């Protein structure tokens, strides 16, 4: 209890909140939003737990044979999952592609410096990483993921079938919610470069987010040429 109070106080006097396991365990992102963005609707933990239970109840038969649950990581979940991960599988998801479809004035954006976040949008395919969270403690681990991905409802969780080096794998993917007010049509590259160059907020900068995503995709021998072009353009713009 004393540690949680200390963490909350630190957030109140800091310009950024690091995305860590401790941040999620102490619910510091929710705490920050409630104090600074009271007009933004948030899902409480009861609603998040109900969503998790519904997803686990709908677990495909093949997925029930797995010790735990795979998550499809296509952005920051690759390089900073913040939960226990016991297996990684390079994978491809067909029917969706990775794109900057969320425009934010909070998180990695602000009213003064709005930013962009990746989401899965319909069409094409997306290469990423299937990460397995073990069955032991699965509801608690998924609650940390839901506090991160599902707090404002900008994403929709769904079961998807991935193609991996170990064969077809069922995983939970967080798809952009087209009915959410932060979901936007596809921008031009010039518009994206502008927002990615300047966007920053309590969770950090968009440039850092883009840089880390491209670097970790490279580490996995995955090339996303569009993200690479955007990063080069952002770096040129920033001098």
């Amino acid at each position: 209890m004393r540690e949680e109070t200390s963490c909350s106080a630190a957030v109140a006097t800091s310009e950024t909140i690091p995305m860590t396991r401790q941040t999620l365990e102490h619910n510091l992102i929710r705490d920050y939003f409630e104090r600074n963005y009271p007009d933004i609707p948030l899902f409480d933990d009861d609603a998040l737990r109900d969503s998790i239970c519904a997803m686990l109840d709908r677990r495909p038969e093949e997925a029930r044979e797995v010790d735990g649950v795979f998550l499809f990581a296509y952005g920051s979940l690759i390089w900073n999952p913040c939960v226990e991960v016991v297996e990684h599988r390079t994978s491809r998801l067909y029917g969706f592609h990775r794109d900057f479809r969320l425009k934010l004035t909070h998180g990695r954006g602000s009213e003064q410096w709005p930013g962009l976040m990746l989401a899965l949008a319909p069409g094409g395919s997306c290469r990423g990483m299937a990460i397995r969270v073990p069955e032991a403690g699965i509801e608690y681990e998924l609650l940390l993921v839901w506090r991160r991905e599902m707090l404002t409802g900008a994403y929709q969780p769904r079961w998807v079938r991935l193609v991996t080096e170990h064969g077809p794998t069922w995983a939970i993917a967080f798809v952009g919610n087209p009915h959410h007010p932060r979901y936007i049509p596809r921008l031009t590259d010039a518009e994206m470069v502008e927002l990615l160059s300047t966007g920053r907020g309590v969770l950090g900068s968009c440039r850092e987010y883009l840089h880390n995503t491209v670097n970790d995709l490279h580490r996995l021998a995955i090339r996303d040429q569009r993200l690479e072009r955007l990063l080069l353009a952002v770096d040129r713009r920033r001098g």
Side-chain angles (χ1 to χ4, degrees):
M1 189 69 162
R2 190 174 305 163
E3 182 181 7
E4 183 171 359
T5 303
S6 172
C7 288
S8 298
V11 170
T13 59
S14 174
E15 293 183 358
T16 60
I17 303 175
M19 180 62 77
T20 65
R21 182 181 180 91
Q22 185 184 46
T23 294
L24 296 171
E25 287 183 326
H26 290 288
N27 231 346
L28 299 186
I29 298 174
R30 176 191 304 281
D31 179 60
Y32 179 87
F33 273 45
E34 288 177 343
R35 287 186 287 104
N36 293 278
Y37 300 96
D39 57 319
I40 295 179
L42 303 175
F43 287 106
D44 62 24
D45 275 359
D46 287 340
L48 297 181
R49 289 189 182 95
D50 287 345
S51 174
I52 292 167
C53 288
M55 288 299 293
L56 293 178
D57 286 346
R58 294 198 299 270
R59 205 183 313 199
E61 205 58 44
E62 292 174 40
R64 296 179 186 273
E65 301 173 4
V66 175
D67 177 17
V69 168
F70 279 99
L71 305 174
F72 181 58
Y74 58 91
S76 61
L77 279 177
I78 298 176
W79 44 270
N80 188 27
C82 297
V83 293
E84 183 179 359
V85 176
V86 294
E87 185 181 357
H88 299 76
R89 295 184 182 182
T90 304
S91 56
R92 184 186 290 272
L93 171 63
Y94 287 96
F96 292 91
H97 65 281
R98 176 175 34 233
D99 201 1
F100 285 102
R101 291 298 187 91
L102 296 177
K103 185 175 181 181
L104 304 177
T105 55
H106 51 268
R108 287 190 183 269
S110 59
E111 292 290 344
Q112 184 179 7
W113 303 109
L116 295 173
M117 291 288 286
L118 288 169
L120 290 173
S125 68
C126 177
R127 294 186 68 196
M129 180 66 71
I131 58 176
R132 180 165 63 86
V133 180
E135 191 70 28
I138 189 68
E139 292 185 9
Y140 180 75
E141 295 296 314
L142 290 183
L143 178 61
L144 301 184
V145 178
W146 255 247
R147 284 177 175 177
R148 168 188 183 149
E149 305 292 337
M150 294 292 296
L151 186 61
T152 66
Y155 295 102
Q156 296 173 324
R158 66 168 63 189
W159 285 100
V160 296
R161 192 174 174 88
L162 305 175
V163 176
T164 80
E165 66 268 32
H166 298 285
T169 299
W170 284 98
I172 296 173
F174 294 95
V175 176
N177 179 1
H179 305 294
H180 195 273
R182 300 296 177 184
Y183 191 88
I184 58 174
R186 188 173 192 176
L187 300 175
T188 66
D189 282 3
E191 291 171 322
M192 280 189 282
V193 168
E194 178 66 23
L195 290 167
L196 292 170
S197 298
T198 60
R200 62 179 183 268
V202 70
L203 294 178
S205 72
C206 292
R207 193 269 173 189
E208 173 192 43
Y209 174 80
L210 175 59
H211 184 275
N212 288 343
T213 300
V214 170
N215 275 1
D216 256 43
L217 289 173
H218 280 180
R219 181 179 59 82
L220 300 172
I222 296 174
R223 302 295 301 271
D224 188 316
Q225 295 183 354
R226 188 153 183 262
L227 290 193
E228 292 173 17
R229 288 198 306 270
L230 288 172
L231 180 57
L232 285 173
V234 167
D235 285 345
R236 282 196 299 266
R237 187 193 180 286
R238 290 170 59 91

